[in-house]
Amino acid sequence: MRKKIAIKIDVDTKRGYEQGVPNMLDVFQKHGIKASFFFSMGPDNSGKAIRRIFRKGFLAKMLRTKAPATYGLKTMLYGTVLPAPLIVGPNPAPFLRAIADGHDCGIHCWDHVYWQDKLPVLSEAKIREHLTKACNLFEKLAHQKPRFCGAPGWQTTYKSLKVQQTMGFDFCSDVRGYAPFYPVVEGQEFLPVQIPGTLLTMDEVLGIMGVTEDNIVDYWLKNCDKPWNVFTIHAEMEGLAKISILDDFIAKARLQGFEFVLLKEGKKLPNIKKCRIYAGYLPGRAGTVALQSDPLN
């Protein structure tokens, strides 16, 4: 059986949405593959992420990934010096093109920075409010309900899982791990199935562990060592200055016999287990993320 790669695209910012998404769509069209997009539907408050500067490893990550050049100065001022612009609503074209091109599209969040930084203290009502706003705009523009969502920064809580369970999603992708699973938190089992990212992202590995722009594709492909692999990329990085790396990754993966599939195909894998979700650390990332445990008996 051919090994599979599902590409998951997180769209976090206005610049990534307006410029990075069309660039990625062109690359996918060139190679004849489909991917799964997760759109931040509301405001771009990227400038407020500066509050993370006191997290261990955050400043080092910003420097080694050349964040100001990658994201653009204007993006890094949104929500502080500059007003936070809405991402999708004023310009639906990239969103609608992704759907028209046959890609799977779902919800990332309403406000990326707000979710990533505030989720642990958010009430169930506030979580529901944000997800509902994102879903309503998605449905208004696409004339269909979103069938999946994925948490910003891989941040999840008992309350967020509880809300997601009531919203009719086919699957969620809130976690980092190794295979699709049914989540268990605080002893409670939740639906829907979680389809976690399996590879370290560009911002996590670039500039450490000997990984450079010249060898990162080979690093990723070496680590696509499972029958099922989920490759998370960002419209702000692989969609802009690093677009040639995305192109190279797809080309080399195909030469090595990998098959590109949509993330939802993970629901069909046999023998999906129950696993706990816990907070842990990954190389190159500041702060904790939601991680998949070993299977429960």
Side-chain angles (χ1 to χ4, degrees), residues 280-292:
Y281 293 91
L282 290 175
R285 177 160 290 277
T288 61
V289 297
L291 298 177
Q292 175 186 9

Side-chain angles (χ1 to χ4, degrees), residues 152-166:
W154 297 279
Q155 299 299 308
T156 189
T157 63
Y158 179 94
K159 292 177 182 177
S160 68
L161 291 171
K162 185 178 178 183
V163 172
Q164 286 171 319
Q165 184 170 247
T166 68

